[in-house]
Amino acid sequence: PGGARLARLPLARVKALVKADPDVTLASQEAVFVLARATELFVETIAKDAYMYAQQGKRKTLQRKDLDNAIEAIDEFAFLE
Amino acid sequence: MAERPEDLNLPNAVITRIIKEALPDGVNISKEARSAISRAASVFVLYATSCANNFAMKGKRKTLNAGDVLSAMEEMEFQRFVAPLKESLEVYRREQKGKKEARKDKDKKADSEEQDKSREEDNDDDDERMEEEEQNEEEEVDN
């Protein structure tokens, strides 16, 4: 089941990112876990969206420009610009 | 302890695996694309953390919790992540609970193994008496 798997990203690394925010005092273990899972879903999403551009270009290799195109075109990725 | 830049990156091998599993077989990813996705993922965590922290502060809490992260997802327009995240959280909570109880049971077992030995001898007597006593609601609890 895709939704219910446990995190593949190491929680310690995700936690390091959370701690990098000076405004954050503490984060619960559950919060770090959910963040890790969310990041995995994000990676899947952006990879799939970028891949559509590679397909348009009839390529089987995802390239940097496919990412750039996806980020520019999709609202949810605006924070990456 | 100073943080090295690589500590704020997510492991390449894991990111690559997630990408590959999301895409059809036979599709490759250039190194540049993989790096870009990895950086984007780090930015995602930082942005989501900041967003989630706003919710925690609104709730006058100093500790960021799972609910704050879910609220952040909605705020960031990733509502479709919320349902699968809730499912994952349920599984995670069950796992954590299981681990806790396994640790408690380990300790208990060590104690009760000694008591079990003396109980075994009493059981034969109990079986005979049980038939008579079934009619009686009152039972003496024998610990």
Side-chain angles (χ1 to χ4, degrees):
Chain A
R5 71 183 330 147
L6 291 187
R8 272 176 292 199
L9 288 170
L11 298 190
R13 292 280 266 272
V14 175
K15 190 165 189 191
L17 280 158
V18 172
K19 284 182 139 178
D21 186 327
D23 294 333
V24 173
T25 313
L26 274 177
S28 73
Q29 213 178 358
E30 284 186 356
V32 177
F33 169 77
V34 178
L35 264 170
R37 274 301 287 140
T39 307
E40 290 170 18
L41 292 175
F42 169 78
V43 171
E44 286 173 20
T45 300
I46 201 170
K48 286 183 184 155
D49 289 341
Y51 183 57
M52 291 199 308
Y53 291 94
Q55 278 180 304
Q56 278 178 28
K58 304 216 165 106
R59 281 177 284 106
K60 286 215 137 183
T61 299
L62 201 64
Q63 290 175 6
R64 173 64 195 264
K65 59 183 168 184
D66 301 320
L67 245 325
D68 292 340
N69 284 332
I71 289 170
E72 205 188 307
I74 297 166
D75 286 343
E76 291 97 316
F77 299 147
F79 73 94
L80 293 168
E81 279 166 352
Chain B
M1 199 166 85
E3 289 215 345
R4 295 166 295 156
E6 53 262 32
D7 286 348
L8 296 187
N9 290 332
L10 297 162
N12 282 335
V14 180
I15 296 286
T16 305
R17 207 182 318 143
I18 297 172
I19 296 172
K20 290 216 142 169
E21 289 184 15
L23 299 176
D25 285 339
V27 175
N28 293 313
I29 315 104
S30 75
K31 208 167 72 169
E32 292 77 17
R34 198 266 324 266
S35 290
I37 292 180
S38 185
R39 273 196 308 273
S42 293
V43 174
F44 175 84
V45 177
L46 294 172
Y47 183 35
T49 296
S50 177
C51 220
N53 200 41
N54 286 337
F55 285 101
M57 293 196 297
K58 254 192 257 178
K60 305 225 162 96
R61 281 175 285 105
K62 287 198 167 164
T63 304
L64 227 156
N65 64 30
D68 298 326
V69 179
L70 293 175
S71 300
M73 290 303 116
E74 291 194 18
E75 179 99 339
M76 291 164 68
E77 298 189 50
F78 286 110
Q79 296 92 330
R80 66 203 134 102
F81 287 2
V82 174
L85 287 176
K86 281 184 172 168
E87 266 186 67
S88 290
L89 184 57
E90 279 313 294
V91 177
Y92 180 74
R93 283 176 172 161
R94 281 200 297 263
E95 270 241 333
Q96 295 301 100
K97 196 175 176 206
K99 282 186 196 169
K100 234 188 188 176
E101 280 166 17
R103 264 181 272 143
K104 265 196 275 170
D105 285 347
K106 247 190 188 174
D107 296 336
K108 261 199 211 159
K109 212 181 175 194
D111 292 342
S112 68
E113 261 172 358
E114 295 191 0
Q115 289 176 28
D116 277 354
K117 284 190 188 156
S118 50
R119 266 198 230 127
E120 258 178 73
E121 292 163 9
D122 288 334
N123 275 347
D124 292 337
D125 295 298
D126 285 346
D127 283 344
E128 286 180 27
R129 277 189 291 147
M130 283 257 286
E131 285 183 42
E132 292 176 37
E133 289 182 354
E134 251 175 60
Q135 304 300 324
N136 302 350
E137 288 304 314
E138 294 170 20
E139 275 178 25
E140 281 183 28
V141 177
D142 195 8
N143 276 330

